[in-house]
Amino acid sequence: MILRLYSLLVWVAGPLLRRKLRARALAEPGYAVAVPERFGHYTQPPGQGFVWVHAVSLGETRAAAILLAALRREMPGMRLLLTHGTATGRAEGQALLQPGDLQVWQPWDSAGAVRRFVRHFQPCIGILMETEIWPNLLAACRAAGIPVVLANARLSAKSLRQAQRLSALSRPAYGALAAVWAQTAADAQRLAEVGAPTPTVLGNLKFDATPNAEQLAAGRAWRRAGRPVVLLASAREGEESLLLQYLVSFRPLSQVPPALPATQLGVSDVQWLIVPRHPQRFDTVAALVVEQGFSLSRRSQWADGPQPAAVWLGDSLGEMARYYGLADVALLGGSFAPLGGQNLIEAAACGCPVVMGPSTFNFAEAAELAEAAGAACRVADMPAAVAQALAWLNAPENLARAAAAGPQFAAAHQGAALKTALAVKKFLV
């Protein structure tokens, strides 16, 4: 009865989804692409035997890329069906396709759309990345005899409470999974509490990512050309304002904050770099920087390197290794607003020390391990983050230790990709 009520609500909300997609397409044209796919109508010919991987957004798609590399090594000739929910995820996923692979939108979780999806593509297995649990989709796969697994699985304490409040709907959905491969023991415990089949801890796929060596080298070459660089990495809405408003408080820009000796580096001695998490906000953040009275230089306008300005804006996709190579210290986006933080593993692997704010629940164990390894430091708020960045810059030996600790920390926790690929392979033999 609960699933039927949910299905009715999802069906009624279908026109609202179409309206939302039209509105989002004004800022991100990718949302106007192949809209009928979201409702289970396809131009691709029917198929079968696909390994279906669902990576809803950009972060999950990057994790899926790590897993797919391992899957292709273990299962040469594998045909991939790759689905997404966001335009950034779909754009990133295009580079992962090989001849014979297909890429479509995730079906809207109406009973009709998911039945058409399952019937059209007939995957031999479904691999949902990290958190994506959809009641009708899982019910349709179970009815069709398609095993669906949750890979690189995580569940925060907040999400656990939400799932428990909707347990009549969430427990059958989690219970329909064929396997759950969790990032951490804490994730596994929470997933078991919501009814998932006994989770196995295989680790976090993102530890197996290899930074782009060319980008990293290029960023480091740019860094040597000027002042020390502090990066606000993968910034979420509101965090850029927190940083800029704090920097404005030093106007007229004194050489150092009051707590620092006059011989040490201060706010005005640092090159500030902001890289927003979402590309649709690039222009908004650029306008915000100018409104606060700072000169601005955008990555999209650089030819042979950064141009002089008080603030640099990283308005490009797929270049985080370049930005981490360019930066001496990174402030972790998503952690200074109550959003659970972003992935800090890539920064650590690039040898860029990380300053975290108080909110890291989406990457809780990685954050704790990075801090214990000396590759990251936690602070209470943005002013404290700026102070910590300056403290590292003014103690080169401490900064060097933190930078060296990052790659060691990342390498120590690798192995999830191979373990997950082998677990998938067992379902198919």
Side-chain angles (χ1 to χ4, degrees):
M1 182 61 69
I2 293 295
L3 184 60
R4 288 178 182 175
L5 177 60
Y6 166 80
S7 299
L8 176 62
L9 292 174
V10 170
W11 179 77
V12 169
L16 299 178
L17 173 63
R18 291 182 184 274
R19 187 182 306 170
K20 180 180 179 180
L21 292 172
R22 287 195 295 270
R24 291 203 68 173
L26 297 175
E28 294 181 82
Y31 281 98
V33 172
V35 171
E37 290 179 0
R38 293 187 183 266
F39 299 93
H41 302 290
Y42 306 98
T43 58
Q44 300 87 347
Q48 60 182 1
F50 289 100
V51 172
W52 162 42
V53 176
H54 175 57
V56 61
S57 192
L58 186 62
E60 290 85 356
T61 304
R62 289 174 176 168
I66 301 165
L67 175 57
L68 286 171
L71 285 172
R72 293 193 195 277
R73 287 192 297 268
E74 294 298 320
M75 297 185 294
M78 177 194 82
R79 290 191 69 200
L80 170 68
L81 173 64
L82 186 59
T83 62
H84 312 276
T86 69
T88 52
R90 184 164 176 143
E92 182 82 3
Q94 288 175 357
L96 305 180
L97 303 178
Q98 295 185 4
D101 295 341
L102 293 178
Q103 182 186 41
V104 298
W105 289 115
Q106 164 199 1
W108 181 236
D109 202 41
S110 68
V114 298
R115 279 198 301 267
R116 288 189 290 272
F117 171 81
V118 170
R119 186 168 59 243
H120 192 91
F121 295 110
Q122 299 181 49
C124 58
I125 190 171
I127 305 171
L128 310 179
M129 299 301 300
E130 300 198 3
T131 61
E132 285 290 288
I133 299 297
W134 294 95
N136 275 324
L137 185 59
L138 283 160
C141 289
R142 190 173 206 176
I146 299 167
V148 179
V149 301
L150 190 63
N152 213 42
R154 58 184 173 89
L155 188 71
S156 69
K158 178 181 178 181
S159 296
L160 170 62
R161 291 192 294 272
Q162 292 172 339
Q164 288 173 330
R165 283 196 293 270
L166 298 170
S167 61
L169 190 64
S170 64
R171 288 191 73 85
Y174 279 100
L177 292 166
V180 174
W181 303 318
Q183 294 184 18
T184 71
D187 288 313
Q189 179 178 348
R190 287 189 286 266
L191 286 159
E193 288 181 39
V194 294
T198 306
T200 303
V201 179
L202 297 186
N204 190 334
L205 290 169
K206 293 176 182 177
F207 280 110
D208 288 351
T210 302
N212 185 301
E214 183 179 349
Q215 287 188 16
L216 193 56
R220 287 172 175 169
W222 284 350
R223 185 204 305 179
R224 289 193 292 269
R227 296 182 294 170
V229 177
V230 175
L231 160 66
L232 177 56
S234 296
R236 302 287 293 275
E237 186 171 0
E239 293 182 316
E240 302 94 348
S241 293
L242 290 175
L243 175 61
L244 293 169
Q245 288 169 8
Y246 183 63
L247 298 182
V248 165
S249 72
F250 290 96
R251 265 207 196 123
L253 285 177
S254 58
Q255 284 298 108
V256 294
L260 289 175
T263 56
Q264 293 194 319
L265 295 172
V267 167
S268 63
D269 301 305
V270 171
Q271 177 63 63
W272 300 95
L273 168 60
I274 298 175
V275 179
R277 171 68 174 171
H278 298 115
Q280 65 268 29
R281 299 186 56 248
F282 288 161
D283 290 342
T284 301
V285 176
L288 181 63
V289 171
V290 174
E291 287 169 7
Q292 293 291 338
F294 294 99
S295 58
L296 174 70
S297 176
R298 300 178 66 151
R299 166 69 181 102
S300 59
Q301 298 170 354
W302 299 350
D304 299 323
Q307 302 302 309
V311 176
W312 292 340
L313 177 65
D315 57 345
S316 64
L317 286 174
E319 289 198 307
M320 285 310 301
R322 184 187 298 269
Y323 294 129
Y324 287 131
L326 177 56
D328 293 271
V329 179
L331 314 183
L332 183 66
S335 69
F336 298 97
L339 298 170
Q342 300 295 156
N343 174 26
L344 58 78
I345 298 168
E346 185 176 8
C350 290
C352 184
V354 175
V355 183
M356 307 177 289
S359 180
T360 57
F361 58 79
N362 284 329
F363 302 90
E365 184 174 75
E368 292 171 5
L369 292 171
E371 187 174 13
C377 177
R378 187 184 299 278
V379 297
D381 53 25
M382 188 65 75
V386 172
Q388 177 58 46
L390 292 173
W392 263 335
L393 293 175
N394 283 301
E397 66 284 358
N398 293 340
L399 181 64
R401 278 197 295 271
Q408 296 172 6
F409 150 72
H413 299 281
Q414 292 178 344
L418 177 58
K419 293 175 186 176
T420 306
L422 293 174
V424 170
K425 192 175 179 180
K426 288 181 180 178
F427 276 92
L428 304 179
V429 295

